[in-house]
Amino acid sequence: MVEGMKEKIESLIQLASFASPFSSFNDEFGAYLAGYRAGVMNAVARVSMGEMELMELVARSFENGPPDIPPWACDIFSDMIRTSYEWARKEISLGEKTIPEGIELGRRGRALILRGEKHSPKKVS
Amino acid sequence: MIHPKIAGMMRDAQIALKGGSTEDNFGVFLLGFSYGLGAGAATASAISDIYSDRKFEEPTKPDFFVFLDQIEAKGGFFVSEEEFQASARRMVSAYESAVRSVGEFIANEGPKGEAEAREFRKRIEAAGKAEPEVRRG
């Protein structure tokens, strides 16, 4: 039964590896890619946690270096990432228009999180 | 029933999205983190079927999307202070790790590698703004 998950994990590792070299904090899309990659790898780690075969697969993928990604998969990954970036931008700009006070709230929250101070939005919608 | 692992990932994705913004690096990182985690959770959502011993051949209702609808209907997740702290730690740790690994990439690849990556990001963005016919060509 882990077989089905192996393929999914492998394809997620490919997706994260695709985003990796294009990540940068010099521009917005680069920072988005860095976050996207981190999110995908976080999912990989959480899904494989406790499943020995999957954990070994993830460990091996790091030992062997970046995986080979077929060109057709690069096109799909590129589309997925770009689409999600556009969605994220739209969602954020809509939020900024409808709840302008949310901008200051978000800014304060991020600063607190980064400083490791206590802060909870309670309900996350 | 959605697996707790998937539910936990979606909770983190919602927290990251709420903190997301285009006005600073950490905000943009959180946006990306949210969507990346969401993509990972969606891809792995079959894990629920695996753990509940349901067979792949069975026509299963897409629990993942049912779960998303439920969250929306409730108006979001309620997170405890502990859950929030744990989630924030994961995000800050991922951010710090990304800052380090991007720095390592630049150190290893030099300005040429950095310029190539910048060029490729522009291509991805430009392709996204082009008309479908142009994209195919």
Side-chain angles (χ1 to χ4, degrees), chain B residues 11-133:
Chain B
R11 188 194 60 215
D12 276 14
Q14 293 272 337
I15 291 172
L17 189 61
K18 196 171 172 97
S21 167
T22 53
E23 69 168 12
D24 54 42
N25 268 347
F26 187 47
V28 178
F29 177 86
L30 285 177
L31 282 183
F33 189 85
S34 172
Y35 277 85
L37 196 52
T43 304
S45 62
I47 199 171
S48 310
D49 298 339
I50 289 169
Y51 287 148
S52 63
D53 284 333
R54 276 152 69 175
K55 289 176 189 163
F56 276 112
E57 295 76 33
E58 283 177 20
T60 56
K61 207 174 176 182
D63 286 346
F64 182 73
F65 294 104
V66 172
F67 178 65
L68 290 186
D69 288 346
Q70 286 168 352
I71 296 167
E72 205 177 328
K74 283 180 194 166
F77 281 105
F78 283 94
V79 293
S80 68
E81 189 59 44
E82 290 73 25
E83 283 172 332
F84 179 77
Q85 291 287 324
S87 176
R89 272 196 296 274
R90 283 193 285 275
M91 285 170 207
V92 171
S93 163
Y95 179 62
E96 288 169 348
S97 167
V99 169
R100 268 198 309 274
S101 75
V102 166
E104 278 166 18
F105 172 80
I106 292 165
N108 292 336
E109 301 293 322
K112 191 170 174 281
E114 197 183 353
E116 279 172 2
R118 192 181 306 129
E119 189 54 37
F120 198 83
R121 284 197 298 277
K122 279 185 193 161
R123 275 178 57 198
I124 295 177
E125 274 195 280
K129 286 169 187 157
E131 292 301 313
E133 288 76 9

Side-chain angles (χ1 to χ4, degrees), chain A residues 17-80:
Chain A
S17 301
F18 173 79
S20 185
F22 312 126
S23 303
S24 168
F25 289 101
N26 283 333
D27 56 54
E28 190 184 287
F29 189 43
Y32 181 84
L33 282 164
Y36 193 92
R37 182 206 166 277
V40 171
M41 283 315 292
N42 193 274
V44 165
R46 288 160 81 154
V47 167
S48 58
M49 194 67 70
E51 286 289 331
M52 198 50 76
E53 272 187 71
L54 295 179
M55 285 164 73
E56 279 171 7
L57 175 76
V58 176
R60 268 202 310 278
S61 75
F62 282 109
E63 284 165 12
N64 297 337
D68 289 332
I69 310 171
W72 59 264
C74 292
D75 287 348
I76 292 172
F77 295 160
S78 178
D79 272 345
M80 278 172 71

Side-chain angles (χ1 to χ4, degrees), chain A:
Chain A
M1 280 195 286
V2 171
E3 262 325 292
M5 280 314 293
K6 275 185 180 175
E7 277 178 25
K8 287 177 188 292
I9 295 273
E10 274 168 355
S11 118
L12 284 174
I13 291 172
Q14 283 185 337
L15 174 61
S17 301
F18 173 79
S20 185
F22 312 126
S23 303
S24 168
F25 289 101
N26 283 333
D27 56 54
E28 190 184 287
F29 189 43
Y32 181 84
L33 282 164
Y36 193 92
R37 182 206 166 277
V40 171
M41 283 315 292
N42 193 274
V44 165
R46 288 160 81 154
V47 167
S48 58
M49 194 67 70
E51 286 289 331
M52 198 50 76
E53 272 187 71
L54 295 179
M55 285 164 73
E56 279 171 7
L57 175 76
V58 176
R60 268 202 310 278
S61 75
F62 282 109
E63 284 165 12
N64 297 337
D68 289 332
I69 310 171
W72 59 264
C74 292
D75 287 348
I76 292 172
F77 295 160
S78 178
D79 272 345
M80 278 172 71
I81 292 170
R82 192 181 55 244
T83 306
S84 74
Y85 175 61
E86 287 165 358
W87 281 354
R89 281 196 62 97
K90 269 184 205 152
E91 194 161 347
I92 288 301
S93 71
L94 187 71
E96 284 170 352
K97 273 181 203 149
T98 48
I99 27 171
E101 64 275 19
I103 298 173
E104 183 51 37
L105 189 73
R107 192 182 295 149
R108 231 177 313 130
R110 285 193 298 280
L112 288 171
I113 292 173
L114 270 180
R115 286 203 299 268
E117 290 170 23
K118 273 184 142 226
H119 170 74
S120 170
K122 301 291 182 199
K123 189 176 183 186
V124 182
S125 54

